[in-house]
Structures are given as C-alpha cells and as structure tokens.
Amino acid sequence: MTTNDKDVTYDEDIKHTSSEDEKVTNERSPEEKAYLKRLNWFVLPFAGMTIFLNFCDKSALSVGPVLGLNRELGLTGSQFSWLGSLFYLGHLVYQLPNQIILQRVPHARYLGTLLVIWGLVMLLTALVKNFSQLAAMRFLLGLFEAAAMPTLYLITSILYRRSEQTLVFGFITLSNGIGAAVGSAIAYGIAHMGHPLGITNWRWNHYIFGALTIVLGFLVFFFMVDTPKNKKLKLTPEQERIAEDRMHDNAVTQTKKFKWAQIVEAVTEIRYYLLVVAAFAISMQNGGMLVYSTTFTMALGFSPLDSMLLQIPSGFASSFGVLAAMLIAKKTRSLLHTGTGLLCVGIIGLVLLCAIPEGEVKLLGFYLSWAGTGAYSLLLTYVGNNVKGYTKKIFYNGCIVAAYTLGNFAGPLMMVEHEAPRYLSGVGGYLAGFGVAAISYQIVRFQALVTNKKRIADGATEDVDLTLDLTDKEDKNFLYRLI
C-alpha cells in the first residue's frame, strides 16, 4: 500500500483493510467456500459445545442453593463466596504452565484430554461430604477448565482469516450465554426430579454434566481439526493452496520454539497493560453476577425455582450482547468503538442496580449489565487480529485469560452478604470497572491508529513473511485492524 492509498483506510482516518477484507469475503472462490464449510463442521460444533459445557460445569455452583447444596453441606454465605472464587484460583494457577504446553502439543488432543479430566472432577464433586472436599473439587475444576478458552482462541486464530475472526470469536463467547440459558433450563428440570435413588438434585446436576463433558472430550480428541491442512479435511490440491493463502492472511506462524524475546516485547507495551486491565475490569461483573445470579434474584423477592428460571433470560441477555457486538462491529467496522458502546450499556444497567433500592424493575439493570460480555468478546477479537508472533500471541491470550480469571475471582468476594439485595460494594465496583475498560479501549485504539498512519506513510505493503515469525512490532508491513 502506498501513500496514495490513504483514502482506503479504516474509520474516518485509516480504513485500509475494510474494502480489501470485504472483497475477499464477498469473492471467495467455490473451492474456498467448500474449504470453509468443511472447516466449520470440524471446528465450530466442538468449540461451541466445549464452551457450553465449560459454562454449565463451572456454574453448577450458582444453581446449587436451589438444588439443596447449601442445606445439605451446611454452607455459610462466606463459604459460598469462597467456593466461587476458588474455581478461578485454580484457573489462575494453570495459566503459566498452559502457555508453555500450548506451544508443544497438538491442540485438539490436548483440549480433549482436559475435557475428560474435568468431567471426572465433576463426577467426583457429586461425592463430596463437606465444605473442604467441595472446595478442593472447585479448585481442581478451575485448574483443568483453565486451558479451554486460550486453546480455542489459538486454534481459531490459526484457522480463520482475520476478517472472519470477529464472528468466530463471537460465536465462541456466545456459547457462554447459551450455556447459561440452556443450563438453567436443565437445572430447573433437575430440580423436579425428586431425588431418584436417594441422591439429592445438586449431585445429579454434577453427574449429568460430568458425563456429558467426558463424552465430548473423546469426540474432541479424535475428531476436532486444529491445523489448516489437517488430514481430516481431505483437501484437494487447490484447497491446500487456499489453506496456505489463509495462513498468510491471518499472519500466524506455528512453531514449537518458545521465544522469550517476544514475551519481553509484550510486557514493555502499554497496550498489553491496558488490555489486561480491561479484561480484569470487565470480568469482575461476570464473576460476581454468575456466582450470585440465583441468590441475587432470590434477594429481589422471587422464589427459588422462579429465580432459577430467571437465569434463562439472563443467559439470553449475555448472548444478545455478544450477537450485538458481532453485528455492530461488522456494520460499523470498529471493534473498540463498538466495545466501548456495549460497556456504556452495561454501565446503565449497573447504575439502575445501584440507584433502585428494591423491586422487580432491578431485573432490567441485571440483564443490561451483561452487555459487558459482548465487549469482552471484541477484546479477544482485537488480540486475535492484532498480536503477531506465535509466542507473543500465546502469551497475550494467556495473560488476558489470567486477568479474566482474577476478575472472576474478585467479583464474588465483592458481593457482601449483609448488603443484599442491592450489594452496593460489588455493583459499584463493577460499575467502576466498566468505566476503566471503556477508557482503556479508546487508548489502545488511538495508539494503533497512530502506528498505522506512520507505517502507511513509510510505505507499508501488508506483505507478511510467515517464515520469519516476526511480531507486530518487528514487522513494519503489518497494519493493525481496528474494524
């Protein structure tokens, strides 16, 4: 791209990739369409089901009080908060080992193995007798679930064009909301089982989802595709050439060599800290509202079973936030502006929760607060599109998930029991977090905009040499995507 091409840059300043990406999307050859269709069948169902069960398994705690968990084990309010946070402590502990392992193992088989292990943990959780045993199981569940998101984001960033990743990452995050809605409906059904075989309903919840997770683990291990030229795809020579071209487009070079220099580069970037802070700030609301979702709605005056049913629209609200993020970002061609807008919607919801003392109208604020999920999905898309260098990309993804984990760990602890039903400390903290995240998004966008302008002026061509595994900072031809 020469300096004469500056009028085809993104947004009002530089929209260099928008017309080119739209052309690629709209003018795919029949062979590429066939390749993409086949790829989707071998990736998206497994990715969606993994995140669906990931959510259902970790949120089994939130419906536990309705299914008799607290009563049977004699849990106090503070113990319940710790059970929510211990899951994310396990999540956090595994992030560093996961970054090293991801660069050395086949991703689909690794993910399938972890699914089987955490499914077994779910089954064992159904056998616990006291708080200490349940706490240990929650920690182990978080430990083995920790790699799911980073692994899936890495697989999809390898397999899909940058122009496709907004929808793909959105679909993965959308599966969280579907898990919340469908999982709550299943839990509602379990609540009416009547303790068959003398087993309490909360234990049945763990047995059922644990078994489903193990089955999915074997399917992922043997059938999921994790490389562009995987033998399962049975590519024609023309489709192999297309796969090579797509690898060139998404600028990801797979290598087993762990490059410490790329990590050093990452931690010297202001962008890294802004994105990590944004991930932490957004996820506080997710952690607090997820663990306390049923308890929160019960505190508003709803019956236990009605509170469980009200989690279904909560899940759909989260899904709608992600869907809105995908569609608006695609229409406006602005990832971070769209993310900021969704955070503002979430802020409105949290303000309603703070301002309204009590009553069913607080549910509106509760549902609006889930708009942050869509903003988080766009953050992940931004990282997938704009962090180059294999070790650096893995490191960024791992740190974003670690920040997400810390936020989810802190979120439930901010919900102080004696403040029910307003929980002002927690909700006020989530409100501040959304504001910090919105500011971070805009600073990151401005930095990328300035860098792109400079590179375009210097004659950047977007001609990426995959064999070199350069980072986005080292490769002066690399242009950041803000759309």
Side-chain angles (χ1 to χ4, degrees):
M1 183 179 291
T2 67
T3 53
N4 292 330
D5 297 320
K6 292 180 184 177
D7 57 324
V8 282
T9 57
Y10 47 77
D11 223 293
E12 62 278 358
D13 297 300
I14 44 180
K15 297 182 180 174
H16 73 279
T17 54
S18 62
S19 58
E20 294 172 5
D21 288 338
E22 189 172 14
K23 184 177 180 181
V24 168
T25 301
N26 293 336
E27 297 183 6
R28 288 194 188 103
S29 67
E31 283 291 307
E32 180 166 5
K33 289 179 180 178
Y35 170 84
L36 185 59
K37 183 177 180 180
R38 192 173 303 172
L39 182 68
N40 287 340
W41 275 110
F42 278 95
V43 176
L44 297 184
F46 297 115
M49 281 303 299
T50 296
I51 298 304
F52 172 83
L53 287 176
N54 175 284
F55 186 92
C56 290
D57 291 346
K58 72 182 178 184
S59 63
L61 180 69
S62 68
V63 297
V66 179
L67 299 179
L69 170 67
N70 292 17
R71 181 175 61 255
E72 183 177 352
L73 299 187
L75 300 179
T76 65
S78 61
Q79 286 176 330
F80 187 76
S81 292
W82 274 107
L83 289 171
S85 294
L86 281 170
F87 172 90
Y88 291 105
L89 181 60
H91 231 267
L92 181 63
V93 168
Y94 196 67
Q95 289 310 315
L96 181 58
N98 183 56
Q99 291 186 41
I100 297 172
I101 294 170
L102 270 178
Q103 200 150 357
R104 289 171 167 76
V105 298
H107 298 147
R109 292 192 172 186
Y110 174 52
L111 180 60
T113 301
L114 289 172
L115 277 159
V116 171
I117 295 173
W118 98 53
L120 289 171
V121 172
M122 283 289 289
L123 295 181
L124 291 173
T125 303
L127 302 176
V128 303
K129 303 295 184 183
N130 53 49
F131 168 74
S132 299
Q133 293 175 358
L134 182 56
M137 290 298 103
R138 287 292 296 178
F139 175 83
L140 289 175
L141 183 64
L143 191 77
F144 293 115
E145 282 199 20
M149 284 281 197
T151 304
L152 287 174
Y153 289 133
L154 186 59
I155 289 173
T156 51
S157 67
I158 290 169
L159 296 178
Y160 289 92
R161 291 185 184 273
R162 291 202 288 167
S163 58
E164 298 163 350
Q165 287 175 15
T166 300
L167 295 179
V168 174
F169 289 159
F171 169 78
I172 292 174
T173 311
L174 184 72
S175 300
N176 258 320
I178 295 173
V182 177
S184 297
I186 293 173
Y188 183 80
I190 292 173
H192 290 81
M193 286 175 56
H195 312 303
L197 302 178
I199 300 172
T200 48
N201 290 335
W202 73 266
R203 297 183 189 274
W204 275 114
N205 196 41
H206 283 80
Y207 281 133
I208 292 168
F209 282 110
L212 289 173
T213 302
I214 291 172
V215 171
L216 178 64
F218 283 109
L219 293 175
V220 168
F221 187 92
F222 289 108
F223 298 109
M224 188 177 186
V225 163
D226 56 6
T227 56
K229 297 182 180 180
N230 195 287
K231 291 181 180 179
K232 298 184 187 77
L233 295 173
K234 298 179 181 179
L235 303 179
T236 65
E238 173 62 16
Q239 287 175 337
E240 287 194 4
R241 186 199 63 76
I242 289 170
E244 189 71 32
D245 179 65
R246 291 169 63 86
M247 291 167 62
H248 198 275
D249 176 71
N250 64 25
V252 177
T253 305
Q254 288 183 268
T255 174
K256 292 186 177 181
K257 183 178 179 182
F258 198 83
K259 299 182 179 180
W260 288 102
Q262 293 191 5
I263 293 180
V264 172
E265 178 182 300
V267 298
T268 60
E269 296 175 343
I270 296 176
R271 173 186 67 169
Y272 165 79
Y273 296 100
L274 290 169
L275 291 174
V276 166
V277 166
F280 173 83
I282 293 172
S283 60
M284 290 190 298
Q285 178 273 344
N286 183 77
M289 293 300 191
L290 173 61
V291 172
Y292 272 84
S293 56
T294 305
T295 305
F296 185 82
T297 49
M298 285 171 61
L300 297 180
F302 295 97
S303 71
L305 288 178
D306 285 344
S307 296
M308 189 181 294
L309 282 177
L310 287 169
Q311 303 318 302
I312 297 175
S314 173
F316 283 125
S318 175
S319 298
F320 180 77
V322 176
L323 185 62
M326 292 189 292
L327 297 177
I328 297 172
K330 187 176 176 64
K331 180 70 175 178
T332 63
R333 303 189 180 281
S334 182
L335 285 175
L336 297 179
H337 278 342
T338 303
T340 301
L342 287 168
L343 287 168
C344 289
V345 173
I347 287 172
I348 292 172
L350 292 169
V351 167
L352 288 176
L353 289 177
C354 287
I356 300 173
E358 57 185 20
E360 298 177 1
V361 72
K362 287 175 73 75
L363 276 175
L364 175 61
F366 177 66
Y367 294 144
L368 288 177
S369 73
W370 288 103
T373 308
Y376 180 72
S377 75
L378 293 179
L379 184 155
L380 296 170
T381 303
Y382 182 86
V383 171
N385 282 348
N386 294 300
V387 177
K388 187 169 174 285
Y390 196 56
T391 300
K392 185 177 180 181
K393 185 181 286 286
I394 291 174
F395 179 72
Y396 254 83
N397 280 333
C399 291
I400 293 296
V401 173
Y404 172 85
T405 300
L406 282 171
N408 278 280
F409 177 85
L413 298 178
M414 296 167 67
M415 300 289 273
V416 183
E417 188 175 8
H418 68 79
E419 292 184 350
R422 297 178 74 182
Y423 294 103
L424 287 178
S425 296
V427 175
Y430 309 153
L431 176 60
F434 276 20
V436 169
I439 294 170
S440 298
Y441 276 21
Q442 291 305 304
I443 297 174
V444 169
R445 188 183 187 282
F446 177 76
Q447 283 189 319
L449 197 67
V450 171
T451 301
N452 277 359
K453 283 184 176 180
K454 184 177 185 304
R455 289 184 177 178
I456 290 172
D458 291 340
T461 63
E462 285 200 285
D463 185 15
V464 178
D465 187 346
L466 293 179
T467 62
L468 299 179
D469 188 31
L470 297 176
T471 66
D472 52 278
K473 189 173 182 179
E474 294 169 335
D475 189 351
K476 303 304 181 184
N477 282 324
F478 183 83
L479 296 172
Y480 296 105
R481 284 179 51 89
L482 302 185
I483 62 173

